Amino acid sequence: GAGLHYGGYIAPFDLANVVLVLCMIYISTKWSENYGASDGQSGGSFGKAVGAICDDKKILVCGLICSSFESSMFIFVFNWTPCLMEPDQPVPPFGHIFTGFMIFCLLGTRVYSYLAKTLSAEQIGALVMAVSMACHLTVYLVESVQVRFVAFLAFEACVGLYFPMMGTLKGDIVPEDMRSTIYNLYRLPLNVIVLMPLLLNFSISTTFAVTTAILAVAVTSAFALTGMRTNKKNLELQALRHDSDDNNSLVSP
């Protein structure tokens, strides 16, 4: 008769299914729906969202950063395993390597909380984009598996820094009433860019040349956004000082 098989490579996924079913049961019995105070139009119309992106350069630049970085991240996900394999050598311990990636991603998230005390989200974003581009450029220029592995660890730390940084930027820049529609528009170029190297069957070097170029766009956009936000803050400070001077002149005899 047939026996029950357990263990093996898919054991973690089997265990994950058990945890997901338990979570589903808990959520369906304990959580109530949060309808909020919306009128059903919280996503905003497509035309309004496109108009907001075209009218406000900060929303456009934020979308360029988001699409560029995340597309490079997903392309990296598809290509990191062949980058770390060498001919006539044993297969690397991919499970341990992936664990290292997750540790550095978590480390990047923790580092963000410290950087946020002294730097703005825009400045952190510019730093993250620049380091990420350097990591992908290293993979393109260097064939050493050891060097590529270090570059990948650094990039995973940047991924950990990216998500809280981008969440802060989106919350400040994207209008709340059109947020979901604009986020979906951000994903359109992201999906196209991710599919391109897969459909065209690029080599590893060509793939990382493409991601380096994409991240160069993200670097340029990040520094442009930093300049925009700095100029806005300077104008606000000048306006406050002008109002304060006017008030002082009215009070003085």
Side-chain angles (χ1 to χ4, degrees):
L4 179 65
H5 174 77
Y6 62 91
Y9 292 113
I10 64 172
F13 299 96
D14 294 335
L15 182 60
N17 287 329
V18 174
V19 175
L20 288 172
V21 170
L22 293 175
C23 290
M24 180 184 69
I25 294 172
Y26 178 82
I27 291 172
S28 62
T29 56
K30 299 294 184 180
W31 287 13
S32 59
E33 183 60 58
N34 180 14
Y35 295 99
S38 67
D39 57 358
Q41 302 295 325
S42 59
S45 67
F46 180 81
K48 284 184 178 180
V50 172
I53 294 174
C54 295
D55 294 338
D56 192 339
K57 289 183 179 180
K58 294 189 295 296
I59 301 177
L60 175 62
V61 172
C62 182
L64 286 174
I65 298 171
C66 178
S67 299
S68 300
F69 184 89
E70 293 186 22
S71 61
S72 299
M73 179 184 67
F74 289 126
I75 293 172
F76 155 79
V77 169
F78 290 121
N79 289 275
W80 71 266
T81 49
C83 280
L84 299 180
M85 298 180 69
E86 296 179 288
D88 303 324
Q89 295 294 326
V91 177
F94 290 128
H96 293 164
I97 293 171
F98 182 76
T99 302
F101 287 169
M102 295 301 98
I103 291 173
F104 270 76
C105 185
L106 178 62
L107 177 64
T109 304
R110 296 299 303 161
V111 169
Y112 177 83
S113 63
Y114 292 105
L115 292 179
K117 296 176 182 179
T118 56
L119 299 175
S120 66
E122 296 84 358
Q123 292 171 325
I124 296 174
L127 177 63
V128 169
M129 297 305 125
V131 175
S132 299
M133 186 185 72
C135 293
H136 283 242
L137 181 61
T138 300
V139 177
Y140 171 69
L141 295 176
V142 180
E143 294 186 1
S144 170
V145 171
Q146 291 78 13
V147 174
R148 286 180 171 182
F149 177 60
V150 173
F152 287 159
L153 291 177
F155 179 67
E156 282 292 343
C158 290
V159 172
L161 280 159
Y162 166 80
F163 283 105
M165 176 275 300
M166 181 52 64
T168 302
L169 285 181
K170 285 179 176 179
D172 291 342
I173 294 173
V174 180
E176 186 175 356
D177 59 335
M178 294 181 285
R179 191 163 289 171
S180 61
T181 305
I182 291 176
Y183 288 178
N184 287 327
L185 289 173
Y186 285 172
R187 294 188 182 100
L188 289 176
L190 186 157
N191 292 327
V192 172
I193 295 170
V194 171
L195 286 174
M196 183 177 64
L198 297 176
L199 295 177
L200 298 178
N201 197 24
F202 287 165
S203 65
I204 292 297
S205 60
T206 303
T207 297
F208 280 91
V210 170
T211 56
T212 301
I214 295 170
L215 286 169
V217 174
V219 171
T220 305
S221 302
F223 278 100
L225 182 61
T226 302
M228 292 176 190
R229 302 275 282 181
T230 301
N231 291 337
K232 181 181 178 181
K233 291 177 182 177
N234 290 337
L235 290 174
E236 290 175 351
L237 287 174
Q238 290 177 3
L240 288 174
R241 289 171 182 169
H242 185 268
D243 292 341
S244 178
D245 293 339
D246 289 344
N247 292 334
N248 290 335
S249 63
L250 291 174
V251 172
S252 61

